[in-house]
Amino acid sequence: MIILSGGTGTPKLLVGLEKVFKGEELNIIVNTAEDVWISGNLLCPDIDSVLYTLGGVMDKKTWWGVKDDCFHTHNALLRLQHPEHLMIGDKDRATHIMRSELLRQGKSLTEATAMLARSFGIPDRIKILPMSDDPAAVRTKILTPEPEGELHFQEFWVTRKGEPDVLDVSFEGIDKVKPSEAVVQALEKESDALVLIGPSNPITSVGPILSLKGIRELLKWKIVMAISPIVGTEAVSGPAGKFMRAKGFEVSPSGVYTCYKDFLDVLVIAKGDECPTDAGVDVLKTDIMIKKDRDSKRLALFLKRYLQKAKSF
Ligand code: GDP
């Protein structure tokens, strides 16, 4: 199975997928458009969330960073008047240091991620694939009204707490970046593999992956299933609603469908929602809220049962 992931909704689902699809190879293609060099190290928020979730150390209260982390280095840097705008925990920073050292030694981001995955005890059958091997070459920019104007995603979401109105979202540098070789290979090699788009932000998490050259074309040849990150007319969490509206999509499961319409086969939405689609697209309804690990397992089992039934036809 191939999975497209951001840093919160899809990692929540990975907890169950890993258990329910035991023994199966999982290729997780992860967004890197929010990556940023900070205090000398490369922070890859979405890759880190996937590593921490599968490595069993995710802080599941906040869905970022390592559980029970401390902030001695961050606080010491502030005392030195080094402006570090993101709060980075010490254990979290250790991941960034190892990754950056590996990159400085000439390893690719894909190789560095594989080495980190091994260090976190993640089995070999699970491949965490950065969408591209050009570190921090794509920058998600959020256009807000003047005087602030254009903000980096992290500035908008962390420093400004997602408060400004959003006029547009863009991915600076995306035209110059290629999908990684491992990503293309996974999509080409596994010709009959299912592609699962987890309940991630369709604009800033899945959007950059889909914007890479050739990816949408490759997906047209696959069975693609997406889980809606929108319930009713609101995102379950985060700024997806604001971003979808700014890009001209309705904030609803129908809006999610429109984002993926050119290649989508199955859309999973909340029980109380409706989503008219073109012929040939299945809409499945179930509880898509993931509050505990058992919710993740239940949703993963629901997907597995549907796939088994679909295969038997
Ligand atoms: P980011 O990188 O932190 O923005 O994370 P993602 O893009 O992976 O996840 C954010 C999206 O996950 C948001 O649009 C949320 O609406 C969605 N989300 C978060 N929790 C849940 C959940 O329990 N169920 C569903 N269906 N979506 C969720």
Side-chain angles (χ1 to χ4, degrees):
M1 181 190 293
I2 295 165
I3 300 161
L4 309 192
S5 182
T8 307
T10 307
K12 280 185 176 180
L13 180 60
L14 284 173
V15 174
L17 290 174
E18 198 239 337
K19 292 194 177 75
V20 168
F21 290 87
K22 233 182 175 62
E24 239 186 74
E25 186 168 304
L26 304 182
N27 287 286
I28 309 165
I29 302 176
V30 189
N31 173 41
T32 61
E34 287 160 29
D35 296 6
V36 59
W37 286 92
I38 182 157
S39 305
N41 299 308
L42 183 63
L43 165 66
C44 301
D46 291 357
I47 294 176
D48 290 343
S49 289
V50 173
L51 283 169
Y52 298 156
T53 302
L54 295 172
V57 298
M58 184 71 178
D59 184 340
K60 289 185 183 164
K61 286 196 266 328
T62 55
W63 283 93
W64 64 268
V66 178
K67 65 181 171 191
D68 305 323
D69 211 346
C70 59
F71 294 84
H72 296 312
T73 311
H74 176 75
N75 291 331
L77 285 168
L78 295 188
R79 280 196 295 276
L80 291 171
Q81 283 156 39
H82 171 83
E84 190 172 66
H85 298 297
L86 300 181
M87 272 191 64
I88 297 173
D90 286 3
K91 293 179 190 170
D92 194 10
R93 195 185 302 273
T95 306
H96 310 159
I97 292 174
M98 174 163 161
R99 165 184 300 126
S100 310
E101 273 300 288
L102 290 168
L103 292 176
R104 284 189 276 266
Q105 286 165 16
K107 298 271 188 287
S108 68
L109 186 58
T110 302
E111 289 166 332
T113 306
M115 291 170 85
L116 279 163
R118 225 165 290 136
S119 304
F120 278 103
I122 298 169
D124 272 355
R125 70 177 175 93
I126 301 181
K127 312 261 185 272
I128 303 173
L129 307 176
M131 69 177 200
S132 128
D133 264 329
D134 300 289
V138 186
R139 290 161 301 274
T140 297
K141 293 288 174 83
I142 312 299
L143 184 63
T144 70
E146 291 300 331
E148 286 178 294
E150 200 171 68
L151 301 174
H152 186 282
F153 176 85
Q154 305 292 358
E155 249 177 310
F156 168 80
W157 186 236
V158 184
T159 318
R160 294 287 284 113
K161 301 188 172 18
E163 280 164 6
D165 288 338
V166 175
L167 305 176
D168 199 6
V169 178
S170 59
F171 310 122
E172 198 181 89
I174 195 90
D175 301 343
K176 297 185 195 81
V177 161
K178 292 194 305 271
S180 77
E181 248 170 64
V183 163
V184 175
Q185 255 177 30
L187 284 166
E188 281 178 347
K189 181 182 84 181
E190 294 198 48
S191 56
D192 59 347
L194 171 85
V195 177
L196 187 70
I197 304 184
S200 279
N201 187 322
I203 308 299
T204 50
S205 294
V206 185
I209 304 176
L210 299 179
S211 302
L212 291 171
K213 212 164 166 229
I215 297 292
R216 276 185 180 267
E217 276 310 307
L218 283 168
L219 290 182
K220 284 185 187 157
W221 301 96
K222 304 270 174 208
I223 306 286
V224 184
M225 190 178 210
I227 324 289
S228 176
I230 307 288
V231 173
T233 54
E234 274 179 41
V236 177
S237 63
K242 265 188 171 177
F243 294 167
M244 287 176 74
R245 222 170 281 121
K247 295 304 276 178
F249 297 105
E250 192 180 284
V251 185
S252 68
S254 298
V256 176
Y257 171 63
T258 314
C259 291
Y260 303 144
K261 198 175 149 104
D262 49 327
F263 53 74
L264 194 69
D265 300 288
V266 185
L267 180 64
V268 185
I269 65 173
K271 271 184 189 156
D273 283 342
E274 294 298 330
C275 180
T277 58
D278 290 340
V281 179
D282 275 352
V283 174
L284 312 180
K285 292 188 184 188
T286 188
D287 183 356
I288 56 170
M289 291 300 291
I290 308 170
K291 294 201 178 93
K292 294 257 160 63
D293 288 358
R294 64 170 178 269
D295 301 319
S296 180
K297 196 164 170 201
R298 174 190 33 76
L299 184 50
L301 266 172
F302 174 87
L303 301 177
K304 187 169 186 182
R305 286 201 196 103
Y306 169 81
L307 293 171
Q308 281 170 339
K309 228 159 109 192
K311 255 191 199 156
S312 65
F313 284 116

